[in-house]
Amino acid sequence: MNTIGIHSLVFTPTWSEESVRPVFETAQEIGYDWIECLIMDADDIDTAFSRRLQEEYGIGVITTMAGNLAADMGSADHEVVARSERLLHQCLDHAAAMGSPFISGPGFSAVNRYTEPPAPAAMDRAIEIYGRVADRARSMGLRVGLEALNRYESNFVNTLGQAARIVRDAGPDVLFVHADLFHMRIEEGKFADAVADVADVLGYVHIAESHRGALGTGNTDWADFFKALAVARYTGPITFESFSPAVLGPDWAGAVALWRDPWDDPAGIALSAYMQIRDHINNTAREIADA
């Protein structure tokens, strides 16, 4: 059975004990297994309290990160590429300190509207870099994921297949593909085909509605997606991700191009998402068992 997580950004744009403790309380009441923390500034993040809250509430922490324009594997500037590798290692240390089993996300790229393709050598360099990162993660007992982003948020790894190429060439025992349904709806073909093609290296899944609002209010074929996961025998974590400027503020609205408030009740949206994800998992399992 898959474990179910929720992104802390559903509730708060900051990661501090004061802002996150209510997230743990609500997540525990609902039944979530994980809370995801996006490391937005690797030089300034409070990690000391994370293990303590996990023990107190019995809920795990999953860490994710993204590159930035000064630390980008797709750049033609070798120093910018070198900084991207250093950032990945730094976030590995944070993941270990916070008690996360892995660090995932688009570590290869900024979340940015690029206007030109990545450098021609970007893929080969990414395989080399992730190979070295995999060696260190292996020694630390951690794993590292690559989240494919859509064309409007990255110019580099846009599909699960592109992420899988790096994973398979650089260390499939430690590296994994991170699938995000929001990005998949833009870049992939059929869910069944996209998931099946990376079933051997799929390690983390983000659940998001087509408009990044409340689950069930968009045009996603949920039965089709959950069946694809089940057929691929995916048993890893599934995390709900949804953004609202009402919670995150205007800076985040600009970062993800979200110009309206899809919801203003974090606890309500979290409860609804949990119940829908749980029901989809259970219903799909019954359908396959009865087939």
PDB file of all heavy atoms in Angstrom, residues 206-234:
ATOM      1  N   HIS A 206       4.041  13.004  -7.238  1.00  0.00           N
ATOM      2  CA  HIS A 206       3.266  14.165  -6.820  1.00  0.00           C
ATOM      3  C   HIS A 206       1.882  14.102  -7.462  1.00  0.00           C
ATOM      4  O   HIS A 206       1.770  13.945  -8.678  1.00  0.00           O
ATOM      5  CB  HIS A 206       3.933  15.460  -7.282  1.00  0.00           C
ATOM      6  CG  HIS A 206       4.896  16.038  -6.304  1.00  0.00           C
ATOM      7  ND1 HIS A 206       5.737  17.084  -6.627  1.00  0.00           N
ATOM      8  CD2 HIS A 206       5.162  15.740  -5.011  1.00  0.00           C
ATOM      9  CE1 HIS A 206       6.470  17.397  -5.582  1.00  0.00           C
ATOM     10  NE2 HIS A 206       6.149  16.589  -4.589  1.00  0.00           N
ATOM     11  N   ILE A 207       0.866  14.255  -6.646  1.00  0.00           N
ATOM     12  CA  ILE A 207      -0.507  14.313  -7.135  1.00  0.00           C
ATOM     13  C   ILE A 207      -0.953  15.781  -7.152  1.00  0.00           C
ATOM     14  O   ILE A 207      -0.896  16.462  -6.127  1.00  0.00           O
ATOM     15  CB  ILE A 207      -1.447  13.509  -6.205  1.00  0.00           C
ATOM     16  CG1 ILE A 207      -1.198  12.019  -6.366  1.00  0.00           C
ATOM     17  CG2 ILE A 207      -2.902  13.847  -6.496  1.00  0.00           C
ATOM     18  CD1 ILE A 207      -1.661  11.454  -7.674  1.00  0.00           C
ATOM     19  N   ALA A 208      -1.364  16.254  -8.314  1.00  0.00           N
ATOM     20  CA  ALA A 208      -1.860  17.617  -8.434  1.00  0.00           C
ATOM     21  C   ALA A 208      -2.964  17.650  -9.477  1.00  0.00           C
ATOM     22  O   ALA A 208      -2.902  16.941 -10.471  1.00  0.00           O
ATOM     23  CB  ALA A 208      -0.734  18.571  -8.832  1.00  0.00           C
ATOM     24  N   GLU A 209      -3.938  18.490  -9.260  1.00  0.00           N
ATOM     25  CA  GLU A 209      -5.031  18.621 -10.211  1.00  0.00           C
ATOM     26  C   GLU A 209      -4.548  19.395 -11.436  1.00  0.00           C
ATOM     27  O   GLU A 209      -3.504  20.042 -11.421  1.00  0.00           O
ATOM     28  CB  GLU A 209      -6.216  19.311  -9.535  1.00  0.00           C
ATOM     29  CG  GLU A 209      -7.502  19.371 -10.327  1.00  0.00           C
ATOM     30  CD  GLU A 209      -7.956  18.031 -10.881  1.00  0.00           C
ATOM     31  OE1 GLU A 209      -7.522  17.698 -12.006  1.00  0.00           O
ATOM     32  OE2 GLU A 209      -8.755  17.340 -10.231  1.00  0.00           O
ATOM     33  N   SER A 210      -5.302  19.328 -12.512  1.00  0.00           N
ATOM     34  CA  SER A 210      -4.908  19.945 -13.779  1.00  0.00           C
ATOM     35  C   SER A 210      -4.655  21.437 -13.650  1.00  0.00           C
ATOM     36  O   SER A 210      -3.803  21.995 -14.338  1.00  0.00           O
ATOM     37  CB  SER A 210      -5.990  19.698 -14.841  1.00  0.00           C
ATOM     38  OG  SER A 210      -7.243  20.185 -14.401  1.00  0.00           O
ATOM     39  N   HIS A 211      -5.367  22.113 -12.743  1.00  0.00           N
ATOM     40  CA  HIS A 211      -5.192  23.550 -12.539  1.00  0.00           C
ATOM     41  C   HIS A 211      -4.504  23.858 -11.213  1.00  0.00           C
ATOM     42  O   HIS A 211      -4.489  24.997 -10.774  1.00  0.00           O
ATOM     43  CB  HIS A 211      -6.534  24.275 -12.607  1.00  0.00           C
ATOM     44  CG  HIS A 211      -7.622  23.635 -11.790  1.00  0.00           C
ATOM     45  ND1 HIS A 211      -7.389  23.024 -10.576  1.00  0.00           N
ATOM     46  CD2 HIS A 211      -8.955  23.504 -12.025  1.00  0.00           C
ATOM     47  CE1 HIS A 211      -8.519  22.570 -10.095  1.00  0.00           C
ATOM     48  NE2 HIS A 211      -9.491  22.831 -10.963  1.00  0.00           N
ATOM     49  N   ARG A 212      -3.968  22.824 -10.559  1.00  0.00           N
ATOM     50  CA  ARG A 212      -3.267  22.920  -9.280  1.00  0.00           C
ATOM     51  C   ARG A 212      -4.194  23.337  -8.144  1.00  0.00           C
ATOM     52  O   ARG A 212      -3.740  23.791  -7.099  1.00  0.00           O
ATOM     53  CB  ARG A 212      -2.077  23.885  -9.371  1.00  0.00           C
ATOM     54  CG  ARG A 212      -0.830  23.225  -9.922  1.00  0.00           C
ATOM     55  CD  ARG A 212       0.357  24.147  -9.933  1.00  0.00           C
ATOM     56  NE  ARG A 212       1.594  23.372 -10.071  1.00  0.00           N
ATOM     57  CZ  ARG A 212       2.727  23.847 -10.568  1.00  0.00           C
ATOM     58  NH1 ARG A 212       2.793  25.088 -10.997  1.00  0.00           N
ATOM     59  NH2 ARG A 212       3.812  23.097 -10.641  1.00  0.00           N
ATOM     60  N   GLY A 213      -5.479  23.151  -8.320  1.00  0.00           N
ATOM     61  CA  GLY A 213      -6.438  23.455  -7.274  1.00  0.00           C
ATOM     62  C   GLY A 213      -6.875  22.207  -6.532  1.00  0.00           C
ATOM     63  O   GLY A 213      -6.112  21.240  -6.389  1.00  0.00           O
ATOM     64  N   ALA A 214      -8.105  22.198  -6.068  1.00  0.00           N
ATOM     65  CA  ALA A 214      -8.636  21.067  -5.299  1.00  0.00           C
ATOM     66  C   ALA A 214      -8.763  19.834  -6.177  1.00  0.00           C
ATOM     67  O   ALA A 214      -9.185  19.918  -7.333  1.00  0.00           O
ATOM     68  CB  ALA A 214      -9.998  21.432  -4.717  1.00  0.00           C
ATOM     69  N   LEU A 215      -8.392  18.676  -5.619  1.00  0.00           N
ATOM     70  CA  LEU A 215      -8.530  17.431  -6.365  1.00  0.00           C
ATOM     71  C   LEU A 215      -9.997  17.191  -6.697  1.00  0.00           C
ATOM     72  O   LEU A 215     -10.895  17.433  -5.885  1.00  0.00           O
ATOM     73  CB  LEU A 215      -7.999  16.245  -5.557  1.00  0.00           C
ATOM     74  CG  LEU A 215      -6.497  16.207  -5.263  1.00  0.00           C
ATOM     75  CD1 LEU A 215      -6.109  14.832  -4.740  1.00  0.00           C
ATOM     76  CD2 LEU A 215      -5.666  16.561  -6.478  1.00  0.00           C
ATOM     77  N   GLY A 216     -10.232  16.710  -7.923  1.00  0.00           N
ATOM     78  CA  GLY A 216     -11.584  16.412  -8.346  1.00  0.00           C
ATOM     79  C   GLY A 216     -12.319  17.581  -8.965  1.00  0.00           C
ATOM     80  O   GLY A 216     -13.459  17.425  -9.409  1.00  0.00           O
ATOM     81  N   THR A 217     -11.676  18.758  -9.012  1.00  0.00           N
ATOM     82  CA  THR A 217     -12.340  19.924  -9.587  1.00  0.00           C
ATOM     83  C   THR A 217     -11.766  20.305 -10.952  1.00  0.00           C
ATOM     84  O   THR A 217     -12.189  21.304 -11.540  1.00  0.00           O
ATOM     85  CB  THR A 217     -12.229  21.150  -8.645  1.00  0.00           C
ATOM     86  OG1 THR A 217     -10.845  21.506  -8.490  1.00  0.00           O
ATOM     87  CG2 THR A 217     -12.830  20.836  -7.287  1.00  0.00           C
ATOM     88  N   GLY A 218     -10.793  19.522 -11.438  1.00  0.00           N
ATOM     89  CA  GLY A 218     -10.202  19.776 -12.746  1.00  0.00           C
ATOM     90  C   GLY A 218     -10.670  18.749 -13.753  1.00  0.00           C
ATOM     91  O   GLY A 218     -11.759  18.190 -13.638  1.00  0.00           O
ATOM     92  N   ASN A 219      -9.815  18.447 -14.721  1.00  0.00           N
ATOM     93  CA  ASN A 219     -10.211  17.500 -15.767  1.00  0.00           C
ATOM     94  C   ASN A 219      -9.291  16.285 -15.836  1.00  0.00           C
ATOM     95  O   ASN A 219      -9.151  15.674 -16.882  1.00  0.00           O
ATOM     96  CB  ASN A 219     -10.266  18.211 -17.137  1.00  0.00           C
ATOM     97  CG  ASN A 219      -8.963  18.932 -17.464  1.00  0.00           C
ATOM     98  OD1 ASN A 219      -7.889  18.531 -17.018  1.00  0.00           O
ATOM     99  ND2 ASN A 219      -9.053  19.991 -18.247  1.00  0.00           N
ATOM    100  N   THR A 220      -8.687  15.924 -14.711  1.00  0.00           N
ATOM    101  CA  THR A 220      -7.815  14.759 -14.659  1.00  0.00           C
ATOM    102  C   THR A 220      -8.620  13.464 -14.640  1.00  0.00           C
ATOM    103  O   THR A 220      -9.626  13.363 -13.930  1.00  0.00           O
ATOM    104  CB  THR A 220      -6.925  14.811 -13.400  1.00  0.00           C
ATOM    105  OG1 THR A 220      -6.181  16.030 -13.398  1.00  0.00           O
ATOM    106  CG2 THR A 220      -5.972  13.628 -13.353  1.00  0.00           C
ATOM    107  N   ASP A 221      -8.159  12.476 -15.401  1.00  0.00           N
ATOM    108  CA  ASP A 221      -8.759  11.139 -15.368  1.00  0.00           C
ATOM    109  C   ASP A 221      -8.063  10.366 -14.252  1.00  0.00           C
ATOM    110  O   ASP A 221      -7.071   9.675 -14.467  1.00  0.00           O
ATOM    111  CB  ASP A 221      -8.574  10.444 -16.719  1.00  0.00           C
ATOM    112  CG  ASP A 221      -9.337   9.120 -16.799  1.00  0.00           C
ATOM    113  OD1 ASP A 221      -9.615   8.526 -15.745  1.00  0.00           O
ATOM    114  OD2 ASP A 221      -9.641   8.686 -17.922  1.00  0.00           O
ATOM    115  N   TRP A 222      -8.602  10.484 -13.051  1.00  0.00           N
ATOM    116  CA  TRP A 222      -7.938   9.902 -11.883  1.00  0.00           C
ATOM    117  C   TRP A 222      -7.905   8.381 -11.924  1.00  0.00           C
ATOM    118  O   TRP A 222      -6.913   7.764 -11.543  1.00  0.00           O
ATOM    119  CB  TRP A 222      -8.625  10.392 -10.611  1.00  0.00           C
ATOM    120  CG  TRP A 222      -8.380  11.841 -10.384  1.00  0.00           C
ATOM    121  CD1 TRP A 222      -9.249  12.871 -10.578  1.00  0.00           C
ATOM    122  CD2 TRP A 222      -7.144  12.432  -9.981  1.00  0.00           C
ATOM    123  NE1 TRP A 222      -8.644  14.061 -10.310  1.00  0.00           N
ATOM    124  CE2 TRP A 222      -7.357  13.828  -9.931  1.00  0.00           C
ATOM    125  CE3 TRP A 222      -5.901  11.921  -9.634  1.00  0.00           C
ATOM    126  CZ2 TRP A 222      -6.349  14.718  -9.563  1.00  0.00           C
ATOM    127  CZ3 TRP A 222      -4.898  12.807  -9.270  1.00  0.00           C
ATOM    128  CH2 TRP A 222      -5.124  14.187  -9.233  1.00  0.00           C
ATOM    129  N   ALA A 223      -8.971   7.774 -12.357  1.00  0.00           N
ATOM    130  CA  ALA A 223      -9.007   6.306 -12.428  1.00  0.00           C
ATOM    131  C   ALA A 223      -7.911   5.793 -13.361  1.00  0.00           C
ATOM    132  O   ALA A 223      -7.245   4.793 -13.067  1.00  0.00           O
ATOM    133  CB  ALA A 223     -10.379   5.838 -12.899  1.00  0.00           C
ATOM    134  N   ASP A 224      -7.705   6.483 -14.473  1.00  0.00           N
ATOM    135  CA  ASP A 224      -6.683   6.085 -15.432  1.00  0.00           C
ATOM    136  C   ASP A 224      -5.297   6.199 -14.828  1.00  0.00           C
ATOM    137  O   ASP A 224      -4.455   5.304 -14.984  1.00  0.00           O
ATOM    138  CB  ASP A 224      -6.799   6.971 -16.678  1.00  0.00           C
ATOM    139  CG  ASP A 224      -5.880   6.520 -17.806  1.00  0.00           C
ATOM    140  OD1 ASP A 224      -5.673   5.299 -17.954  1.00  0.00           O
ATOM    141  OD2 ASP A 224      -5.380   7.383 -18.543  1.00  0.00           O
ATOM    142  N   PHE A 225      -5.040   7.292 -14.108  1.00  0.00           N
ATOM    143  CA  PHE A 225      -3.709   7.493 -13.537  1.00  0.00           C
ATOM    144  C   PHE A 225      -3.411   6.482 -12.437  1.00  0.00           C
ATOM    145  O   PHE A 225      -2.338   5.874 -12.411  1.00  0.00           O
ATOM    146  CB  PHE A 225      -3.574   8.909 -12.990  1.00  0.00           C
ATOM    147  CG  PHE A 225      -2.201   9.199 -12.426  1.00  0.00           C
ATOM    148  CD1 PHE A 225      -1.093   9.258 -13.265  1.00  0.00           C
ATOM    149  CD2 PHE A 225      -2.014   9.384 -11.073  1.00  0.00           C
ATOM    150  CE1 PHE A 225       0.173   9.522 -12.756  1.00  0.00           C
ATOM    151  CE2 PHE A 225      -0.751   9.644 -10.553  1.00  0.00           C
ATOM    152  CZ  PHE A 225       0.342   9.713 -11.405  1.00  0.00           C
ATOM    153  N   PHE A 226      -4.339   6.281 -11.534  1.00  0.00           N
ATOM    154  CA  PHE A 226      -4.087   5.339 -10.443  1.00  0.00           C
ATOM    155  C   PHE A 226      -3.998   3.903 -10.958  1.00  0.00           C
ATOM    156  O   PHE A 226      -3.252   3.089 -10.400  1.00  0.00           O
ATOM    157  CB  PHE A 226      -5.150   5.480  -9.356  1.00  0.00           C
ATOM    158  CG  PHE A 226      -4.849   6.576  -8.379  1.00  0.00           C
ATOM    159  CD1 PHE A 226      -5.344   7.854  -8.583  1.00  0.00           C
ATOM    160  CD2 PHE A 226      -4.046   6.343  -7.281  1.00  0.00           C
ATOM    161  CE1 PHE A 226      -5.047   8.881  -7.698  1.00  0.00           C
ATOM    162  CE2 PHE A 226      -3.746   7.356  -6.387  1.00  0.00           C
ATOM    163  CZ  PHE A 226      -4.245   8.640  -6.591  1.00  0.00           C
ATOM    164  N   LYS A 227      -4.728   3.596 -12.005  1.00  0.00           N
ATOM    165  CA  LYS A 227      -4.580   2.270 -12.598  1.00  0.00           C
ATOM    166  C   LYS A 227      -3.182   2.109 -13.192  1.00  0.00           C
ATOM    167  O   LYS A 227      -2.560   1.043 -13.062  1.00  0.00           O
ATOM    168  CB  LYS A 227      -5.630   2.041 -13.678  1.00  0.00           C
ATOM    169  CG  LYS A 227      -5.558   0.630 -14.279  1.00  0.00           C
ATOM    170  CD  LYS A 227      -6.661   0.388 -15.302  1.00  0.00           C
ATOM    171  CE  LYS A 227      -6.565  -1.020 -15.864  1.00  0.00           C
ATOM    172  NZ  LYS A 227      -7.623  -1.283 -16.872  1.00  0.00           N
ATOM    173  N   ALA A 228      -2.661   3.174 -13.820  1.00  0.00           N
ATOM    174  CA  ALA A 228      -1.306   3.109 -14.377  1.00  0.00           C
ATOM    175  C   ALA A 228      -0.284   2.846 -13.287  1.00  0.00           C
ATOM    176  O   ALA A 228       0.640   2.039 -13.467  1.00  0.00           O
ATOM    177  CB  ALA A 228      -0.985   4.413 -15.113  1.00  0.00           C
ATOM    178  N   LEU A 229      -0.434   3.500 -12.131  1.00  0.00           N
ATOM    179  CA  LEU A 229       0.482   3.264 -11.012  1.00  0.00           C
ATOM    180  C   LEU A 229       0.375   1.824 -10.509  1.00  0.00           C
ATOM    181  O   LEU A 229       1.389   1.166 -10.226  1.00  0.00           O
ATOM    182  CB  LEU A 229       0.184   4.232  -9.869  1.00  0.00           C
ATOM    183  CG  LEU A 229       0.447   5.718 -10.108  1.00  0.00           C
ATOM    184  CD1 LEU A 229       0.108   6.510  -8.844  1.00  0.00           C
ATOM    185  CD2 LEU A 229       1.900   5.970 -10.505  1.00  0.00           C
ATOM    186  N   ALA A 230      -0.842   1.336 -10.396  1.00  0.00           N
ATOM    187  CA  ALA A 230      -1.051  -0.014  -9.879  1.00  0.00           C
ATOM    188  C   ALA A 230      -0.497  -1.069 -10.834  1.00  0.00           C
ATOM    189  O   ALA A 230       0.144  -2.039 -10.407  1.00  0.00           O
ATOM    190  CB  ALA A 230      -2.535  -0.257  -9.628  1.00  0.00           C
ATOM    191  N   VAL A 231      -0.747  -0.899 -12.125  1.00  0.00           N
ATOM    192  CA  VAL A 231      -0.237  -1.852 -13.114  1.00  0.00           C
ATOM    193  C   VAL A 231       1.286  -1.865 -13.108  1.00  0.00           C
ATOM    194  O   VAL A 231       1.916  -2.912 -13.283  1.00  0.00           O
ATOM    195  CB  VAL A 231      -0.779  -1.509 -14.516  1.00  0.00           C
ATOM    196  CG1 VAL A 231      -0.069  -2.330 -15.588  1.00  0.00           C
ATOM    197  CG2 VAL A 231      -2.288  -1.756 -14.573  1.00  0.00           C
ATOM    198  N   ALA A 232       1.895  -0.693 -12.876  1.00  0.00           N
ATOM    199  CA  ALA A 232       3.360  -0.604 -12.804  1.00  0.00           C
ATOM    200  C   ALA A 232       3.893  -1.107 -11.466  1.00  0.00           C
ATOM    201  O   ALA A 232       5.108  -1.096 -11.248  1.00  0.00           O
ATOM    202  CB  ALA A 232       3.799   0.836 -13.026  1.00  0.00           C
ATOM    203  N   ARG A 233       2.997  -1.530 -10.579  1.00  0.00           N
ATOM    204  CA  ARG A 233       3.359  -2.017  -9.246  1.00  0.00           C
ATOM    205  C   ARG A 233       4.120  -0.956  -8.449  1.00  0.00           C
ATOM    206  O   ARG A 233       5.076  -1.261  -7.724  1.00  0.00           O
ATOM    207  CB  ARG A 233       4.169  -3.325  -9.345  1.00  0.00           C
ATOM    208  CG  ARG A 233       3.415  -4.465 -10.023  1.00  0.00           C
ATOM    209  CD  ARG A 233       4.210  -5.768 -10.014  1.00  0.00           C
ATOM    210  NE  ARG A 233       3.516  -6.827 -10.710  1.00  0.00           N
ATOM    211  CZ  ARG A 233       2.562  -7.585 -10.198  1.00  0.00           C
ATOM    212  NH1 ARG A 233       2.195  -7.388  -8.938  1.00  0.00           N
ATOM    213  NH2 ARG A 233       1.973  -8.527 -10.909  1.00  0.00           N
ATOM    214  N   TYR A 234       3.678   0.279  -8.563  1.00  0.00           N
ATOM    215  CA  TYR A 234       4.299   1.354  -7.804  1.00  0.00           C
ATOM    216  C   TYR A 234       3.761   1.338  -6.377  1.00  0.00           C
ATOM    217  O   TYR A 234       2.554   1.459  -6.152  1.00  0.00           O
ATOM    218  CB  TYR A 234       4.012   2.718  -8.451  1.00  0.00           C
ATOM    219  CG  TYR A 234       4.547   3.856  -7.618  1.00  0.00           C
ATOM    220  CD1 TYR A 234       5.918   4.075  -7.529  1.00  0.00           C
ATOM    221  CD2 TYR A 234       3.691   4.683  -6.894  1.00  0.00           C
ATOM    222  CE1 TYR A 234       6.426   5.103  -6.737  1.00  0.00           C
ATOM    223  CE2 TYR A 234       4.190   5.713  -6.108  1.00  0.00           C
ATOM    224  CZ  TYR A 234       5.551   5.910  -6.033  1.00  0.00           C
ATOM    225  OH  TYR A 234       6.065   6.921  -5.243  1.00  0.00           O
TER     226      TYR A 234
END
